Every structure is written in C-alpha cells, then in structure tokens.
C-alpha cells in the first residue's frame, strides 16, 4: 500500500533524488575501506583499530536509529531527510580536518548517527510512496547508487587521496552532499499525511511496532544479511594488497569493475523480484553469493585479472541480494508505522554491521610478513549466516494490502 501515490514523473524524480542522497551516504561509508592502508600508515594503527574505526560509524548509526524511532513518524518525511542530511554533510567535512585518530573516530561517530537516520528514511519514503508491485524495481534504482559510488565515487575518492592525502575524499563527499541537499530541497515533496491531527502528541508507536512478531523476523533477517557481508567486506582491500599481491594503485579497478556490473544487475534483480517474488529471487542470489564469499576469503596470490573476476562476482551477488532483501523488509512493516519500524531496522542493520566488523577484526591477525591470517574463518562465518538468512526469509511476510499474487505464491507456509 502506498500512503502517498505520485504521478509517474514525480515518482521518477523522487527515486533519483533518493538515489543521490543514498549515493553520498554509501560513499561516505565505503571510502573508509579502500583507504584502510592509508589510515594504517598515517596513524600507525592495527587491523583491530581499523576495524573499530569502521564499526564505530555503524554502532553510532544504530544508536541514532533507536533514538529516531521514537519521533520520526510524527514529522514530515521531507523535513527529517533534509535536516539529517545537512548535519551528515557537516560531520563528513569534520572528518577531513580531523588531526588524529581519536578526533577522526569522533567525527565518524557523528557522521554515523545522522547517516543511520538517512538510511532509515530513504527506505521509509520508498515504502510510503511506491506501491508494493513496483517496490522491487524502486529499491533496485536507489540501491544502484551503491554501484555508482563504486564505479565513480570510490575510484575518484582514491585518486583524490593520492593527490591530497586521505583528507581529500571527505571534502569531496561534503561538496557532493551540499549539491544533493539543494536538489532534495527542490525535488522532495512534503510527505506528512501520515501525521494525523493529534499524532504529534500521541505516545510513541515504538511499543506497537515491537509487539509485532513479523517485525522481529524481518529484523533478524536483516541482522543475518549484514553479518554475512560485513565480516568480509571491510578487509577485502587489506587482504588483496597483503595476501593476493594486488598493487594498491590497482585497487580502484576492483571497485570500477564491480560497480559497473552491479549498476545493471541491481536494477535487473529488482525487476526479477517484482516479477517472480522477492523471497524467491533473494534465495537464488543468496545461494550464488556463497561462491564469492568462500573464494574471496581463501584466494591465494593471483594475477590481477583473477582477482578482478572474483571481486566483481562478489559485488554482484553479495550486494545484489540486498535488493530483494530490503524490498521484503520494507514491506514487512505496518505502513503507517513504517518510519518507526525502519528506524529500528536501521539501528539493527548498523549495529549488526559494526558487530560483524568487530568480530572479523578480532579474528583476523597479521603475521610478521604483513599478511592477514584467519580470514578464511571469517568466510565460513559469513557463509553460515547466509544459510540462516535464506531459511528465515520464508518467515518474513509482506503486510501491504496490495501484495502481488507472485509474492503470495512464493511465501513459505
């Protein structure tokens, strides 16, 4: 069910505006991972400290999601999105001027807090404004921002870092945020009809949201998806340079090839999810993702072309399963409480990502030659979480009144 039906041209503008906001939000998080070697050199930190630098962002995003759950459904979605985005841009700019590890960590926490709200609100708006039967396609369009960030954003950010140091990419992202904020201010419609006359003074809907067993199944499903990805993802660059033997200057190619492919496959996966059922398509992709999860964490020294084939497959399948997965999760909420549900979901998603990075950072060690050890253990954890998520996917039910017959037919009894 769509609370705010829009004409087709307004719907397209809305989706591309959300994709732009999501692009900078994702890029801000992703740029940390390929910059890992630069941070290790600049601050003299260990892999565990770098893992904490990544996880601190996600833990802060999780905390802000819980806090936001108590109020987001009482305000116009437009005001929440633009307000959070403005503070997020300032926090990203603060990262650029951080003089040391501790100050950078604090700035990343602040960026994570408002990034967490943004992540929840982008999918809340999709759930409110886009009908169920087109929600897979809409999710694919917005999540194509991940591909654009890897095709253009991450390689360009790395190129800027080679010229201006690790500070440069954060300035670049902050400037992009300013531009997309202006576009959002012009393009985002008011989305406030879900706020009835006395709803602003009503008790928090969090208790109602927390009582729904289907919501809990959706949140557990999200946690497993995050665990199965973010135990592996933060350390790919470090593993590729230290163990596989890929030159640091070639790392942008990893993101360029992977992003170029996912730009097309993410939208294709979204259309497949609408046509064949989101649950079924999720399971197809998740089964396929077991292959790159294993190969990435066990890859020996190899030529660049083999590493690129492996990393591209990883990008396509591990990120691709998020398209039908998030469409399922967005549709699991009571439509009028979707802001609260998605804020809690964002908190769980962020906390799970942070826990995953932290677990991986504890497990992985560095030997005297600088190579990472026990990365394979992390791969087996990710594969186990994937299998559990595939089982739980059958227990997450869409609540939208207009759920398609294809979706109903693929639900697990």
């Amino acid at each position: 069910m769509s609370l705010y039906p829009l004409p087709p041209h307004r719907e397209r503008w809305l989706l591309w505006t959300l994709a732009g906001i999501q692009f900078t939000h994702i890029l801000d998080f992703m740029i940390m991972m390929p910059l890992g070697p630069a941070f290790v050199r600049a601050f003299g930190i260990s892999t565990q400290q770098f893992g904490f630098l990544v996880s601190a962002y996600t833990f802060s995003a999780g905390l802000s999601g819980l806090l936001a759950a108590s109020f987001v459904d009482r305000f116009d979605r437009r005001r929440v999105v633009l307000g959070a985005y403005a503070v997020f841009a300032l926090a990203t700019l603060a990262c650029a001027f951080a003089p040391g590890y501790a100050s950078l960590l604090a700035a990343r926490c602040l960026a994570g807090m408002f990034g967490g709200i943004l992540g929840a609100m982008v999918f809340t708006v999709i759930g409110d404004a886009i009908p169920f039967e087109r929600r897979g396609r809409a999710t694919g369009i917005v999540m194509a921002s991940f591909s654009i960030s890897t095709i253009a954003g991450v390689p360009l950010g790395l190129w800027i870092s080679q010229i201006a140091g690790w500070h440069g990419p954060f300035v670049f992202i902050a400037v992009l945020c300013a531009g997309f904020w202006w576009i959002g201010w012009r393009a985002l419609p008011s989305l406030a009809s879900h706020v009835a006359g006395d709803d602003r003074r009503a008790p928090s809907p969090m208790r109602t949201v927390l009582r729904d067993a289907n919501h809990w199944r959706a949140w557990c499903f999200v946690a497993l998806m995050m665990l199965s990805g973010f135990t592996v993802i933060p350390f790919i660059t470090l593993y590729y340079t230290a163990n596989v033997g890929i030159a640091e200057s070639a790392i942008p190619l990893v993101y360029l090839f992977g992003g170029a492919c996912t730009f097309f496959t993410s939208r294709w996966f979204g259309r497949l999810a609408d046509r064949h059922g989101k649950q079924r398509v999720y399971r197809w992709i998740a089964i396929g993702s077991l292959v790159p999860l294993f190969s990435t964490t066990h890859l020996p020294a190899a030529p660049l072309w083999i590493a690129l084939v492996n990393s591209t497959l990883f990008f396509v399948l591990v990120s691709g399963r998020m398209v039908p997965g998030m469409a399922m999760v967005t549709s699991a909420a009571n439509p009028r409480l979707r802001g609260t549900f998605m804020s809690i979901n964002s908190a769980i998603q962020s906390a799970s990502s942070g826990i995953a990075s932290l677990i991986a950072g504890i497990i992985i060690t560095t030997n005297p030659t600088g190579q990472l050890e026990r990365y394979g253990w992390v791969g087996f954890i990710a594969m186990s979480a994937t299998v559990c998520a595939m089982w739980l996917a059958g227990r997450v039910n869409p609540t939208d009144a207009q759920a398609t017959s294809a979706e109903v037919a693929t639900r697990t009894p």
Side-chain angles (χ1 to χ4, degrees), residues 132-133 136 272-282 324 327-328 331 393 396-400 402-412:
F132 180 85
E133 61 269 18
L272 286 177
D274 286 337
R275 185 178 306 147
H276 299 290
K278 297 166 183 61
Q279 181 190 117
R280 176 182 293 168
V281 173
Y282 169 78
M328 288 169 54
S331 303
V396 178
N397 300 314
T399 62
D400 295 74
Q402 298 175 353
T404 63
S405 58
E407 192 70 40
V408 172
T410 59
R411 284 169 55 184
T412 299

Side-chain angles (χ1 to χ4, degrees), residues 41-101:
R41 286 194 304 270
F43 300 119
I45 58 177
S46 64
T47 55
Q48 286 78 14
Q49 287 173 301
F50 172 68
F52 187 65
L53 193 62
V54 174
S55 61
Y57 180 99
T58 54
F59 283 137
S60 298
L63 176 61
S64 69
L66 287 177
L67 295 175
S70 64
F71 66 82
V72 291
D73 280 324
R74 301 181 183 183
F75 296 96
D76 186 333
R77 310 289 196 212
R78 181 180 188 272
R79 292 177 60 187
V80 177
V81 170
L82 293 178
Y85 196 38
V87 181
F88 170 79
L90 293 174
T92 299
L93 188 62
C95 293
F97 298 101
Y101 177 77

Side-chain angles (χ1 to χ4, degrees), residues 172-206:
F172 168 63
I173 295 169
V175 171
L176 285 179
C177 287
F180 282 119
W181 187 94
W182 182 81
I183 294 172
W185 181 72
R186 294 290 300 271
L188 282 176
S190 175
L191 302 172
S193 64
H194 63 287
V195 182
D198 294 331
D199 278 1
R200 295 179 189 274
R201 295 185 296 274
S204 169
M206 190 182 296

